[in-house]
Amino acid sequence: MSRIVIDARKLNTGAGRYTKRLMHYLQKIDSKNTYLVLLKQKDYMGWQPEASNFEKVLCTAKEFTWAEQTELKRQIKQLKPDLVHFAMVQQPIFYRGKVVTTMHDLTTARFRNPSKNPAVFWFKQQVYKFVNWRVAHKSKFIITPTNFVKKDVASYAHITSKKIFVTYESADEITDPIEPIKKLQGKPFLFYVGRPQPHKNLGRLIESFAQLKQDHPDLLLVLAGRKDELYDRFVKKATSLGVSDSVVFTGFVSEGQLKWLYKGCKAYVFPSLSEGFGLPGLEAMKHDAPVVSSNATCLPEVYGKAAYYFNPLDVRDMTKSINTVLTNHEIRGDLIKQGREQVKKYSWQKMAEETLAIYQKALK
């Protein structure tokens, strides 16, 4: 029996869903090893172990701080683990014990955040790049969510791909009751959910939508996600293109509202320039939404034939693809059917089983 530490400090974030589902299924399939789960104060009371071999441990060290390099390193050593699984790149880079790291993607190393001070962000980005390189070299094994990221990490860090393992993620069906959004009821709309980071390419999506309005005057574009200063840029973009009355920024939506948006949209549009897995598109398929997607990075690998693709740098191509799905009922119906089959290929339990096998390999 081994002692395994799982770093779950980013439990309630987008990437945190991966960690939550991993721990949920590990508790079902592994009763032999002892697991110590590192949690922040805000998550400590909310997450409860389901199995007797899982124990939660309070951790106060924040990501990308000096405390992460000193206090967290000290805390992990005191726990005397046989293996540590960092579910993100952020970690004590000079910790010498056995480590498995999940590297979700290299997007942050490649895109700027326009809401941040340029000089400060540039410096932080250089640190982040070094951390990625260092972690890729020091980890016993690396887990990535797609083959695209596997190849990307191997090339970026100049390491052998033999130490990198792909464990595909999955999409959950939303079990909450459908909760309609009244102001959108009875109206045709395109849908996108997620943070408005630069690589999400929402500016070009709004440009494409402005072109679509010429042939679809009643169409709306619904952008869901917690509002911040980045969203303000896209409010201005919609205003400058004369479509501000037709672009709906919902802010945060409940699970029931998200389910209604997926099921009610004319198409789920995913214009991203860079993804590690592309979970929202798969989640849209799970709820019978036809998906129109960027053909960038890992997305064709994950969505297969279940999405209608476009070049995310070409607004006209994006417009053409969305319009095809809006007007061609045969293609639209086929996408919905293909989407139902595509999501069946992915399983959180399988991901957990593959991860456990990686632990066992690392512990030898």
Side-chain angles (χ1 to χ4, degrees), residues 45-257:
M45 295 306 296
W47 186 84
Q48 299 298 333
E50 302 167 23
S52 60
N53 59 323
F54 273 69
E55 176 186 339
K56 58 183 182 178
V57 178
L58 181 63
C59 180
T60 59
K62 295 181 180 179
E63 311 90 79
F64 289 121
T65 62
W66 185 246
E68 183 176 62
Q69 300 304 315
T70 57
E71 294 173 19
L72 178 56
K73 179 183 175 183
R74 189 180 309 116
Q75 183 178 24
I76 290 173
K77 288 181 71 175
Q78 289 172 348
L79 293 173
K80 298 180 179 178
D82 298 298
L83 177 69
V84 182
H85 180 189
F86 291 104
M88 55 185 174
V89 170
Q90 300 93 307
Q91 59 188 266
I93 59 174
F94 296 110
Y95 174 71
R96 294 180 179 275
K98 286 185 178 179
V99 166
V100 169
T101 300
T102 298
M103 298 181 73
H104 296 278
D105 57 54
L106 293 172
T107 299
T108 305
R110 296 196 171 115
F111 289 83
R112 293 188 304 107
N113 187 331
S115 70
K116 305 295 182 182
N117 178 288
V120 174
F121 184 81
W122 179 87
F123 175 76
K124 288 184 176 180
Q125 192 174 47
Q126 304 318 302
V127 173
Y128 181 77
K129 289 178 180 179
F130 169 73
V131 169
N132 274 271
W133 185 90
R134 169 67 182 167
V135 166
H137 282 265
K138 83 178 186 72
S139 298
K140 177 78 172 178
F141 296 122
I142 295 164
I143 295 172
T144 63
T146 55
N147 278 298
F148 173 85
V149 179
K150 174 179 179 175
K151 294 174 184 176
D152 200 22
V153 169
S155 175
Y156 177 84
H158 302 290
I159 59 172
T160 174
S161 60
K162 292 180 180 179
K163 69 181 288 185
I164 307 175
F165 295 87
V166 176
T167 64
Y168 286 113
E169 297 173 16
S170 186
D172 295 308
E173 185 170 357
I174 299 172
T175 57
D176 288 19
I178 286 179
E179 186 182 345
I181 298 176
K182 291 182 179 180
K183 64 181 179 181
L184 295 175
Q185 283 185 299
K187 298 178 180 179
F189 62 90
L190 303 173
F191 180 45
Y192 165 87
V193 61
R195 298 180 68 191
Q197 305 320 73
H199 69 277
K200 297 299 185 179
N201 203 28
L202 297 188
R204 289 190 181 90
L205 174 58
I206 293 172
E207 290 178 31
S208 174
F209 175 69
Q211 294 179 2
L212 287 163
K213 286 287 286 184
Q214 298 175 23
D215 295 321
H216 305 274
D218 297 328
L219 190 65
L220 301 178
L221 173 61
V222 178
L223 303 177
R226 200 179 300 278
K227 292 181 180 178
D228 58 22
E229 62 270 25
L230 285 173
Y231 260 123
D232 292 339
R233 299 168 65 90
F234 299 116
V235 172
K236 293 176 182 177
K237 180 86 173 182
T239 301
S240 70
L241 292 171
V243 292
S244 58
D245 291 341
S246 300
V247 180
V248 180
F249 297 88
T250 67
F252 173 81
V253 292
S254 69
E255 287 290 285
Q257 289 173 325

Side-chain angles (χ1 to χ4, degrees), residues 308-327:
Y308 203 83
Y309 297 102
F310 56 82
N311 177 350
L313 297 174
D314 187 335
V315 174
R316 288 186 179 181
D317 191 41
M318 190 187 305
T319 302
K320 181 181 177 182
S321 294
I322 296 171
N323 189 59
T324 297
V325 175
L326 287 173
T327 57

